[in-house]
Amino acid sequence: MTKQKYKVAIIGASGFTGSELARLLSQHPNIEISHITSESHAGKAFSELHPQFLGMIDQKLESAAVIEEAELDVLFLALPHGVSMDFVKKWHHKGSKIIDLSGDFRLSSPEVYQEWYNKEHVFTEGFEKASYGQPELFAEKIKQSNLVANPGCYPTASILSLAPLFAENMIQNHSVVIDAKSGLTGAGVKASENTHFSNVNENFKAYGVGEHRHTIEIEEQFSCLSDGEVRVQFTPHLLPVDRGILATSYAKTKKLTTQEELTKLYEDFYQDKPFVRVKTSPPSIKDVRGSHYCDIFPFWDKRTERVIAIAAIDNLLKGAASQAVHNMNLMLGIEETAGLNQIPLRP
Amino acid sequence: MTKQKYKVAIIGASGFTGSELARLLSQHPNIEISHITSESHAGKAFSELHPQFLGMIDQKLESAAVIEEAELDVLFLALPHGVSMDFVKKWHHKGSKIIDLSGDFRLSSPEVYQEWYNKEHVFTEGFEKASYGQPELFAEKIKQSNLVANPGCYPTASILSLAPLFAENMIQNHSVVIDAKSGLTGAGVKASENTHFSNVNENFKAYGVGEHRHTIEIEEQFSCLSDGEVRVQFTPHLLPVDRGILATSYAKTKKLTTQEELTKLYEDFYQDKPFVRVKTSPPSIKDVRGSHYCDIFPFWDKRTERVIAIAAIDNLLKGAASQAVHNMNLMLGIEETAGLNQIPLRP
Amino acid sequence: MTKQKYKVAIIGASGFTGSELARLLSQHPNIEISHITSESHAGKAFSELHPQFLGMIDQKLESAAVIEEAELDVLFLALPHGVSMDFVKKWHHKGSKIIDLSGDFRLSSPEVYQEWYNKEHVFTEGFEKASYGQPELFAEKIKQSNLVANPGCYPTASILSLAPLFAENMIQNHSVVIDAKSGLTGAGVKASENTHFSNVNENFKAYGVGEHRHTIEIEEQFSCLSDGEVRVQFTPHLLPVDRGILATSYAKTKKLTTQEELTKLYEDFYQDKPFVRVKTSPPSIKDVRGSHYCDIFPFWDKRTERVIAIAAIDNLLKGAASQAVHNMNLMLGIEETAGLNQIPLRP
Amino acid sequence: MTKQKYKVAIIGASGFTGSELARLLSQHPNIEISHITSESHAGKAFSELHPQFLGMIDQKLESAAVIEEAELDVLFLALPHGVSMDFVKKWHHKGSKIIDLSGDFRLSSPEVYQEWYNKEHVFTEGFEKASYGQPELFAEKIKQSNLVANPGCYPTASILSLAPLFAENMIQNHSVVIDAKSGLTGAGVKASENTHFSNVNENFKAYGVGEHRHTIEIEEQFSCLSDGEVRVQFTPHLLPVDRGILATSYAKTKKLTTQEELTKLYEDFYQDKPFVRVKTSPPSIKDVRGSHYCDIFPFWDKRTERVIAIAAIDNLLKGAASQAVHNMNLMLGIEETAGLNQIPLRP
């Protein structure tokens, strides 16, 4: 097997997404990790920052400056919102494909970005270039792209939960309520009152009610899929677990359906999508933990004449790192499933 | 202090509700626990079954047969659905006030009961006699009652979350979606696959989608409060915590409102209710744990023109045992708050 | 009941110990909380800092400066090590009894303090004045004291686990191994890498191996109880729970014993101590959670000729706040158990 | 890659060990899983029993009777103690290599087995044939064996923690105290009071004090490694986590040492062992979760003149399933690390 490996770099290694990218890419059959960068930890071994990797990924962390001179096939930007765009601006001419895991290029325009992120965008041309990296919906566009905006964690679960219905134009546009729940890693690696164990453990609450940024990301994608503007009620909650998102999505349909029709619609829509599993009972976040799967249960409540579609993903994987790898596979033209065969870790 | 104490019995002591009732009643200034019964553990000390009570409640568990001859002021039935009605039938003539913590007398009629509980009712006269024991809504009726049906845990949080709006007839009757999440103790003390640690810990899922029995209980109470029949979309989920229910309730209103009006409506409605706290930010289950409080945050989303009202309770207390004590206080004509001053245990 | 209430102040309200003191003291029959102080949050309501208290303790936080002019019966210092001694120095002349919950006056001398705390002591006279506040061992001295050093959380569980044997001079002085495990609240309220949910949840590890400050506190107390210098192997571990300490203590005895003799020794030693429960099976931290109890199981392993004594406490209560209240009761000459009748919260 | 794959069967698929074996073996480059058996679930798909495997391992569960006629290279027995020996007796002549994950062949003789397992052994010849499958210690013997007794989870962590010292005869034989803590999956998949979420969550306790069966397994292996009989004080505790064992081992040495010497001794001993990581700070169970690693921190406490050696493993992997795969690799003569490159899943 003298297969040539693609060279990639992970920009920003201190967070959860960076470490999960390293875990996946280090075991990907077609990939070699050339650089992992961290400004605050440059010089340390990656495994010093993330001790679970000791003996597996001990390479040194470098400053992002090394990327300037490097010849790389793919750059993964695992950086905060508002920081990522600087690097895309600087590196988009380099000839490397860029997968941006921040929110900087997920929305439709600089104006919408500014409204929801309260920040001026420094690289407005990027919006034209960027594809929205939901592989189950936009694989053909992603294959042609050099810049992919990796979807948010909540949007991934939310969009996949109702996409088959929106694609068939079956949903009443203003009826959608998405009640979503995420594990704590969604709040990031930074120590704060919000991530203190005693505020999370044995606790549960909603946050960002009526104003979370993922709302607009979900709405724009649903609007793309269907005709007309979609407005979504999206409420995130914080679960006392490390990983996992469960989105419980409610919608009124334009016409009545049956459980059989609904199930068939979902099965048909996802039949060639290797990482979506349509289920006949409510999914659990632990059944997808550590994997790239999205489990979905579509339910027709004939009593209330509503669809309830429940989707479960691992927020750090299907909601971030493994989705980025999936996008990379598409962009490089290699097998879609390469490096993504992790079986969920349960219990 | 030679105050005469009321004599009570707890029927069914092996479950969580029974042990929480014992905890509250043993420290209630006006109450003496005369009997605690358990058929399967009769003869054992209560503290042998529940070791946390060692040195505090060591009295012997007895067979329910002892109740026949006893003169008691109040009987608490902490029994499963379908079992409780037998005891109500047998004891309703005894002159003791009865507080039934099961679902056997919560609904409007034997027919509705049979439809949702799949069981024939053996004491249909009870439906006439029973009051629905939501102290914040029906205190006057409860004071007159000799049989109170203590509300379900989900219904308590759900009903209190939207009661001010239904009471003002402000809600579009078919618009209500209640996405509710409960700690594991709601599933009871029995060991099963569902209560196995490895199936609950680090996990989260919906259950009973479209068919949970608490749906009809919520609908009937909302219908009572407002005019016309209310249909509710109710979805329960299982949280990996011991205690707590959070109900996130969504509703379309009949006319638009503002945050100020909404907050004022809730504050006015609950102003004389000592155990409801109207909040200006989303409530946490840990802020009510171990207490009789219900914390509610009413939010007006002007973008979507929906109310989101989020309520948090301790499912074993406000959702069961302390609500029963509250009902007892009303039925006995003693101070409403007696024995219910527990400060939430956090962290 | 026109009973005069004692006036107390809690100095330092932002931490877990401060909030637990407020919870206990606000419901103590003989106590009125005159002041709660916090330099960083002065002016806020106490319930703004700790929302679980909303409607129960809404008084304003004040600067510690108010204490100067106040006439108070008892001052509780819930401050960090190294800060507390400044206030003791400043206030010890005031006539208020002082209960210091820090480590500043727990050791035998300024020299030992400096060796283990790496800090010069500013009030060395305090060591003479201070009593070590373990009510089960030193009640008579505590009753006479105006300054009590409230024991550390680990020392409380560790000392009580073996005190009956040391008091009888039955232990080989260098044989003691104490393997202790604490819930996360022991690490304090401050957000840090160590208290980040994702580093604690589903995790477990030892820390401070061979050098934790509580080692010397335990050794000095055992040396007091017995004859000769005791050296203890003490290893703390971090449990993924909020509350609770379990100390598993191993010791070789000077002569062989039997289970019967051992049990009797413990029962006799603790027979008049209302908050120690000698058990015949291993204790659980959840059986003492939210209470002032210490549950102890002494076991004689005849195969290895060792005693294993396992003690469980709630680190925030018996290991801090309720122990301070117990000390206060002794110092004020009121009933030893006043305000300490909380039944453990389980589940 | 037309490499011939070895055919294996997993006997007993309903438990955690069976499902982890399936996870590892299904992705092992040299292995094909020919059969998975379960008497109680025969006929169901494996992924019906373990939904996380949906789409990955959907093969049908069969009765163990199919093994009789099958030609298989390796049989994995994931059965309870006392059941496994029946199958070893029946199948040891078949020519398949057998790896038994129960305790039936781990001890030195039928007499010792009967004393600690309270059960007569039905296949006493097995004790001669069986090798103790600790790959780091007995690789050469394992390579020659047709029957391997896979070590217990606690013994794996305990033995590896002190093996370097016992192998050098440096430990005082009666000084060893092992205080061990395990995640709940060690208690098995069966629903019981012990595995009920509310008894495990936010709780911690010791069990089997002075009498756990793993004690003798540890003692026998230490006796093998050193000269003379070793007696160990072993105390297991139950952690409120799914996976992980941490063993904190204490020992007096025959002569004094230094931290440098101690570290070097461990590094030398484990230098060719790819799955033991010698660390310079206390290990965490989350840093090995989902992997075959054993992390060990040896510490010399010069104050007490004791070694403290702390070892962390994933009880289901290094303590069961991946250790069995490691043994298989040795028995089949394939690369020792094949199929065992999982990076720990953290967070």
Side-chain angles (χ1 to χ4, degrees):
Chain A
M1 286 197 300
T2 59
K3 178 172 50 183
Q4 169 101 40
K5 294 202 172 189
Y6 294 97
K7 291 180 194 306
V8 309
I10 301 169
I11 315 302
S14 54
F16 298 131
T17 306
S19 85
E20 284 295 84
L21 276 170
R23 190 169 66 88
L24 297 175
L25 292 168
S26 71
Q27 301 197 326
H28 191 295
N30 310 103
I31 297 300
E32 177 190 323
I33 304 177
S34 298
H35 303 283
I36 309 180
T37 82
S38 165
E39 301 313 305
S40 43
H41 299 283
K44 279 187 200 167
F46 180 73
S47 58
E48 197 182 337
L49 197 58
H50 300 292
Q52 71 269 35
F53 288 93
L54 185 65
M56 304 203 98
I57 307 184
D58 297 317
Q59 69 188 84
K60 282 274 187 302
L61 294 166
E62 302 171 88
S63 163
V66 301
I67 304 302
E68 293 298 336
E69 305 302 315
E71 294 202 6
L72 295 161
D73 297 294
V74 186
L75 298 174
F76 290 90
L77 305 188
L79 298 166
H81 311 314
V83 174
S84 215
M85 54 188 176
D86 290 323
F87 288 88
V88 174
K89 186 179 182 184
K90 189 156 59 170
W91 292 338
H92 77 277
H93 63 275
K94 276 184 59 73
S96 309
K97 293 174 188 297
I98 298 181
I99 298 172
D100 178 22
L101 288 93
S102 85
D104 284 355
F105 298 94
R106 291 177 192 156
L107 301 182
S108 57
S109 74
E111 292 72 31
V112 178
Y113 180 84
Q114 185 157 352
E115 183 186 344
W116 286 82
Y117 283 75
N118 292 318
K119 186 161 190 132
E120 205 159 337
H121 206 285
V122 303
F123 186 55
T124 56
E125 308 93 285
F127 287 87
E128 281 302 306
K129 299 178 193 292
S131 295
Y132 189 75
Q134 191 64 56
E136 284 77 11
L137 303 180
F138 309 115
E140 292 315 309
K141 274 193 73 181
I142 294 164
K143 287 178 187 170
Q144 313 303 323
S145 294
N146 289 317
L147 173 60
V148 162
N150 212 58
C153 51
Y154 283 124
T156 296
S158 301
I159 293 166
L160 294 178
S161 75
L162 294 176
L165 291 161
F166 272 113
E168 293 291 323
N169 192 19
M170 281 175 64
I171 287 187
Q172 294 182 29
N173 281 2
H174 288 57
S175 73
V176 175
V177 171
I178 301 178
D179 192 281
K181 303 90 179 172
S182 172
L184 187 275
T185 51
V189 78
K190 194 148 169 275
S192 73
E193 201 183 327
N194 287 329
T195 60
H196 192 293
F197 181 78
S198 80
N199 287 331
V200 179
N201 181 49
E202 290 294 289
N203 205 358
F204 185 69
K205 65 174 177 186
Y207 64 99
V209 180
E211 60 179 38
H212 194 281
R213 289 161 178 175
H214 285 169
T215 309
I216 184 65
E217 189 179 334
I218 297 166
E219 288 180 347
E220 287 196 342
Q221 296 304 322
F222 282 157
S223 299
C224 272
L225 285 173
S226 64
D227 59 342
E229 193 207 354
V230 177
R231 188 143 289 184
V232 161
Q233 188 75 56
F234 171 73
T235 312
H237 299 72
L238 185 58
L239 282 172
V241 304
D242 280 320
R243 291 168 180 252
I245 282 180
L246 194 96
T248 310
S249 303
Y250 303 88
K252 288 275 185 184
T253 51
K254 289 183 177 164
K255 59 181 180 53
L256 300 189
T257 181
T258 63
Q259 184 63 53
E260 292 66 34
E261 281 178 7
L262 185 70
T263 303
K264 185 170 183 333
L265 177 73
Y266 274 70
E267 285 175 350
D268 289 352
F269 189 83
Y270 288 123
Q271 72 175 334
D272 298 326
K273 312 303 174 201
F275 297 109
V276 175
R277 303 191 287 198
V278 178
K279 304 201 59 168
T280 55
S281 61
S284 297
I285 57 172
K286 213 169 181 177
D287 278 339
V288 297
R289 182 172 64 161
S291 84
H292 187 48
Y293 283 116
C294 177
D295 283 359
I296 306 179
F297 170 56
F299 176 80
W300 172 248
D301 190 339
K302 64 175 189 288
R303 213 181 63 94
T304 60
E305 298 176 354
R306 251 195 216 92
V307 167
I308 308 176
I310 309 178
I313 62 168
D314 183 320
N315 59 307
L316 293 180
L317 294 175
K318 184 67 181 169
S322 68
Q323 187 127 287
V325 172
H326 195 165
N327 280 318
M328 177 195 75
N329 290 348
L330 294 172
M331 293 165 88
L332 293 176
I334 59 183
E335 199 186 345
E336 183 176 4
T337 59
L340 294 172
N341 66 338
Q342 294 79 20
I343 297 176
L345 190 74
R346 173 167 186 167
Chain B
M1 288 196 301
T2 57
K3 179 172 49 184
Q4 168 104 40
K5 294 202 172 188
Y6 294 97
K7 291 181 193 306
V8 308
I10 301 168
I11 315 301
S14 54
F16 299 132
T17 305
S19 85
E20 284 296 82
L21 276 170
R23 190 169 67 87
L24 297 175
L25 292 168
S26 71
Q27 301 197 327
H28 193 294
N30 310 104
I31 297 299
E32 178 191 323
I33 304 177
S34 299
H35 302 282
I36 309 179
T37 80
S38 165
E39 301 313 305
S40 43
H41 299 283
K44 280 187 198 166
F46 180 72
S47 58
E48 196 181 338
L49 196 58
H50 301 291
Q52 71 269 33
F53 288 93
L54 185 65
M56 304 203 100
I57 307 183
D58 296 318
Q59 68 189 84
K60 283 274 188 302
L61 295 167
E62 302 170 88
S63 163
V66 301
I67 304 302
E68 293 298 336
E69 304 302 316
E71 293 202 7
L72 295 161
D73 297 295
V74 186
L75 298 174
F76 291 91
L77 306 188
L79 298 167
H81 310 314
V83 174
S84 216
M85 55 187 174
D86 290 324
F87 289 88
V88 175
K89 185 178 182 184
K90 191 157 57 170
W91 292 336
H92 77 280
H93 62 276
K94 276 185 60 72
S96 309
K97 292 174 188 296
I98 298 181
I99 299 172
D100 178 22
L101 287 94
S102 85
D104 284 354
F105 297 93
R106 292 177 191 155
L107 301 182
S108 57
S109 72
E111 292 73 31
V112 178
Y113 180 84
Q114 183 157 353
E115 183 186 345
W116 286 82
Y117 283 75
N118 293 317
K119 186 160 190 132
E120 203 159 340
H121 206 286
V122 303
F123 185 56
T124 55
E125 309 93 286
F127 288 87
E128 281 301 305
K129 300 178 193 291
S131 294
Y132 188 75
Q134 191 64 57
E136 284 77 11
L137 303 180
F138 309 115
E140 292 315 309
K141 273 193 72 181
I142 294 165
K143 287 177 186 172
Q144 313 303 324
S145 294
N146 289 316
L147 173 60
V148 162
N150 212 56
C153 49
Y154 283 123
T156 296
S158 302
I159 292 166
L160 294 178
S161 74
L162 294 176
L165 291 160
F166 272 113
E168 293 291 323
N169 191 19
M170 281 176 63
I171 287 187
Q172 295 182 28
N173 281 3
H174 288 58
S175 73
V176 177
V177 171
I178 300 177
D179 191 281
K181 303 87 179 173
S182 172
L184 187 275
T185 50
V189 77
K190 195 149 169 272
S192 72
E193 200 182 330
N194 287 329
T195 60
H196 192 293
F197 181 79
S198 80
N199 287 331
V200 179
N201 181 48
E202 291 293 290
N203 205 359
F204 185 69
K205 64 174 178 185
Y207 65 98
V209 180
E211 59 179 39
H212 195 282
R213 289 162 178 175
H214 285 169
T215 309
I216 184 65
E217 189 178 335
I218 298 165
E219 289 180 346
E220 288 196 340
Q221 295 304 321
F222 282 157
S223 299
C224 271
L225 285 172
S226 65
D227 60 340
E229 192 208 355
V230 177
R231 188 145 288 185
V232 161
Q233 187 75 55
F234 171 72
T235 312
H237 299 72
L238 185 58
L239 283 171
V241 304
D242 280 321
R243 288 169 182 252
I245 282 179
L246 195 95
T248 310
S249 302
Y250 303 88
K252 288 276 185 184
T253 50
K254 288 184 177 163
K255 61 182 179 49
L256 300 188
T257 182
T258 63
Q259 183 64 53
E260 293 66 34
E261 281 178 7
L262 185 68
T263 304
K264 186 169 182 333
L265 178 72
Y266 275 70
E267 286 176 349
D268 290 352
F269 189 84
Y270 287 122
Q271 72 175 335
D272 297 325
K273 312 302 175 202
F275 298 109
V276 175
R277 303 191 288 197
V278 177
K279 305 201 58 168
T280 56
S281 61
S284 296
I285 56 172
K286 213 169 180 176
D287 278 338
V288 296
R289 182 172 63 161
S291 84
H292 187 49
Y293 283 117
C294 176
D295 283 359
I296 306 180
F297 171 55
F299 176 80
W300 172 248
D301 191 338
K302 64 175 189 287
R303 212 181 65 92
T304 60
E305 299 177 351
R306 250 194 216 92
V307 168
I308 308 176
I310 310 180
I313 61 168
D314 183 321
N315 60 307
L316 293 181
L317 294 174
K318 183 67 180 168
S322 67
Q323 187 127 287
V325 172
H326 195 165
N327 281 319
M328 177 196 73
N329 290 347
L330 294 172
M331 294 165 88
L332 293 175
I334 59 181
E335 201 187 345
E336 183 177 4
T337 59
L340 294 172
N341 66 338
Q342 294 79 20
I343 296 176
L345 190 74
R346 173 168 185 165
Chain C
M1 287 195 300
T2 59
K3 179 172 49 185
Q4 168 101 40
K5 293 202 173 187
Y6 294 97
K7 289 179 194 307
V8 309
I10 301 169
I11 314 302
S14 53
F16 297 131
T17 305
S19 85
E20 283 296 83
L21 276 171
R23 190 170 65 88
L24 296 175
L25 292 168
S26 72
Q27 301 197 326
H28 193 293
N30 309 104
I31 297 299
E32 177 190 323
I33 304 177
S34 298
H35 303 282
I36 310 179
T37 81
S38 164
E39 301 313 304
S40 44
H41 299 284
K44 279 187 199 166
F46 180 72
S47 57
E48 196 181 337
L49 196 58
H50 301 291
Q52 71 269 33
F53 288 93
L54 186 64
M56 304 203 99
I57 307 184
D58 296 319
Q59 68 189 84
K60 282 274 187 302
L61 294 166
E62 302 170 88
S63 163
V66 300
I67 304 303
E68 293 298 336
E69 304 302 315
E71 292 202 7
L72 295 161
D73 297 295
V74 186
L75 299 175
F76 291 90
L77 306 188
L79 298 167
H81 310 314
V83 174
S84 215
M85 54 187 175
D86 290 323
F87 288 88
V88 174
K89 185 179 183 183
K90 190 157 57 171
W91 292 338
H92 76 279
H93 63 277
K94 276 183 59 72
S96 308
K97 292 174 188 297
I98 298 181
I99 298 171
D100 178 21
L101 289 93
S102 85
D104 284 355
F105 297 94
R106 291 177 192 155
L107 301 182
S108 57
S109 73
E111 293 71 33
V112 178
Y113 180 84
Q114 184 156 352
E115 183 187 344
W116 287 82
Y117 283 75
N118 291 318
K119 187 162 190 131
E120 204 159 339
H121 206 285
V122 303
F123 185 55
T124 55
E125 309 92 287
F127 287 87
E128 282 300 306
K129 299 179 193 292
S131 294
Y132 189 75
Q134 190 64 58
E136 284 77 11
L137 303 180
F138 309 116
E140 292 315 309
K141 273 192 75 181
I142 294 164
K143 287 177 186 171
Q144 313 303 324
S145 294
N146 289 317
L147 172 59
V148 162
N150 212 56
C153 50
Y154 282 125
T156 296
S158 302
I159 292 167
L160 294 178
S161 74
L162 294 177
L165 291 161
F166 272 113
E168 293 291 322
N169 192 21
M170 280 176 64
I171 287 186
Q172 296 181 27
N173 281 3
H174 288 59
S175 73
V176 176
V177 171
I178 301 178
D179 192 281
K181 305 89 180 173
S182 172
L184 187 275
T185 51
V189 78
K190 193 148 170 275
S192 73
E193 200 182 328
N194 287 329
T195 59
H196 192 293
F197 181 79
S198 80
N199 287 331
V200 179
N201 182 49
E202 291 294 288
N203 205 359
F204 185 69
K205 64 175 177 185
Y207 66 99
V209 179
E211 60 180 37
H212 195 281
R213 288 161 178 176
H214 285 169
T215 309
I216 184 65
E217 189 179 333
I218 298 166
E219 288 180 347
E220 288 197 340
Q221 295 305 322
F222 283 156
S223 299
C224 272
L225 285 173
S226 64
D227 59 342
E229 193 208 354
V230 177
R231 189 143 287 185
V232 161
Q233 187 75 58
F234 172 72
T235 312
H237 299 72
L238 185 57
L239 282 172
V241 304
D242 280 321
R243 290 168 181 251
I245 282 181
L246 194 95
T248 310
S249 303
Y250 302 88
K252 287 276 185 184
T253 50
K254 289 184 178 165
K255 60 180 179 53
L256 300 190
T257 182
T258 63
Q259 184 63 52
E260 292 66 35
E261 280 178 5
L262 185 69
T263 303
K264 185 166 182 338
L265 177 72
Y266 274 70
E267 285 176 349
D268 289 352
F269 189 84
Y270 287 122
Q271 73 176 335
D272 297 326
K273 312 302 174 200
F275 298 108
V276 174
R277 302 191 288 198
V278 177
K279 305 201 59 169
T280 55
S281 61
S284 297
I285 57 172
K286 215 169 181 177
D287 277 339
V288 296
R289 182 171 65 160
S291 84
H292 187 49
Y293 283 116
C294 176
D295 284 358
I296 306 180
F297 170 56
F299 176 79
W300 172 248
D301 190 338
K302 65 176 188 287
R303 213 182 63 94
T304 60
E305 299 177 353
R306 249 195 218 93
V307 167
I308 308 175
I310 310 178
I313 61 168
D314 183 320
N315 59 308
L316 293 180
L317 294 174
K318 184 66 180 168
S322 67
Q323 187 127 287
V325 172
H326 194 164
N327 281 318
M328 177 195 75
N329 290 348
L330 293 173
M331 294 165 89
L332 293 176
I334 58 182
E335 201 187 346
E336 182 176 4
T337 60
L340 294 172
N341 66 338
Q342 294 79 19
I343 297 176
L345 190 74
R346 173 167 185 166
Chain D
M1 286 195 301
T2 58
K3 179 172 49 185
Q4 169 99 38
K5 295 201 171 188
Y6 293 97
K7 290 180 193 309
V8 309
I10 301 168
I11 314 303
S14 53
F16 297 131
T17 306
S19 85
E20 284 295 84
L21 276 171
R23 190 169 66 87
L24 297 176
L25 293 168
S26 71
Q27 300 197 326
H28 192 294
N30 310 103
I31 297 299
E32 178 191 323
I33 304 177
S34 299
H35 303 282
I36 309 180
T37 82
S38 164
E39 300 314 304
S40 43
H41 299 282
K44 279 188 198 166
F46 180 73
S47 57
E48 196 181 338
L49 196 58
H50 301 292
Q52 72 267 34
F53 288 93
L54 185 66
M56 304 203 99
I57 306 183
D58 296 318
Q59 69 189 83
K60 282 275 188 302
L61 295 166
E62 302 170 88
S63 163
V66 300
I67 303 302
E68 293 297 337
E69 304 302 315
E71 294 203 6
L72 295 161
D73 296 295
V74 186
L75 299 174
F76 291 91
L77 306 189
L79 298 167
H81 311 313
V83 174
S84 216
M85 55 187 174
D86 290 323
F87 288 88
V88 174
K89 184 179 183 184
K90 188 156 59 169
W91 292 338
H92 77 279
H93 63 276
K94 275 183 60 71
S96 309
K97 292 173 188 296
I98 298 181
I99 299 171
D100 178 22
L101 288 94
S102 85
D104 284 355
F105 297 93
R106 290 177 192 156
L107 301 182
S108 57
S109 72
E111 292 72 31
V112 178
Y113 180 85
Q114 183 155 354
E115 182 187 345
W116 286 82
Y117 284 74
N118 292 318
K119 187 161 189 132
E120 205 160 337
H121 205 286
V122 303
F123 184 55
T124 56
E125 309 93 287
F127 287 87
E128 281 300 306
K129 298 179 194 293
S131 294
Y132 189 74
Q134 190 63 57
E136 284 78 10
L137 303 180
F138 309 115
E140 292 315 309
K141 274 192 71 179
I142 294 164
K143 287 178 187 171
Q144 313 303 324
S145 294
N146 289 318
L147 172 60
V148 162
N150 212 56
C153 50
Y154 282 124
T156 296
S158 302
I159 292 166
L160 293 177
S161 75
L162 294 176
L165 290 161
F166 273 112
E168 293 291 322
N169 192 20
M170 281 175 65
I171 287 187
Q172 294 182 29
N173 281 3
H174 288 58
S175 73
V176 176
V177 172
I178 300 178
D179 192 281
K181 303 88 179 174
S182 172
L184 187 276
T185 50
V189 78
K190 193 148 170 275
S192 72
E193 200 183 330
N194 287 328
T195 60
H196 192 292
F197 181 78
S198 81
N199 287 332
V200 179
N201 182 48
E202 291 292 289
N203 205 359
F204 185 69
K205 65 174 177 184
Y207 64 99
V209 179
E211 60 179 38
H212 194 282
R213 289 163 178 174
H214 284 169
T215 308
I216 184 65
E217 189 178 334
I218 297 166
E219 288 180 347
E220 289 197 339
Q221 295 304 321
F222 282 157
S223 299
C224 271
L225 284 173
S226 64
D227 59 342
E229 193 207 354
V230 177
R231 187 144 289 184
V232 161
Q233 187 76 57
F234 171 72
T235 313
H237 299 72
L238 185 58
L239 283 171
V241 304
D242 280 321
R243 288 168 182 253
I245 282 180
L246 194 95
T248 310
S249 303
Y250 303 88
K252 288 276 186 185
T253 51
K254 289 185 178 163
K255 60 181 177 55
L256 301 189
T257 181
T258 63
Q259 183 64 52
E260 293 66 35
E261 280 178 7
L262 186 69
T263 304
K264 185 169 183 333
L265 177 73
Y266 274 69
E267 285 175 351
D268 289 352
F269 189 84
Y270 287 123
Q271 73 176 335
D272 298 325
K273 311 303 173 201
F275 297 109
V276 175
R277 303 190 290 197
V278 178
K279 305 202 57 168
T280 56
S281 61
S284 297
I285 57 172
K286 214 169 180 177
D287 278 339
V288 296
R289 183 172 64 160
S291 84
H292 187 48
Y293 283 116
C294 177
D295 283 0
I296 306 180
F297 171 55
F299 176 80
W300 172 247
D301 191 338
K302 64 176 188 286
R303 212 181 65 92
T304 60
E305 300 177 351
R306 251 195 216 91
V307 168
I308 308 176
I310 310 179
I313 61 169
D314 182 321
N315 59 307
L316 294 180
L317 294 175
K318 184 67 180 168
S322 68
Q323 187 126 286
V325 172
H326 195 164
N327 281 317
M328 176 195 76
N329 290 348
L330 294 172
M331 294 165 89
L332 293 175
I334 59 183
E335 201 187 345
E336 182 176 4
T337 60
L340 294 173
N341 67 338
Q342 294 80 18
I343 297 176
L345 190 75
R346 173 167 185 166

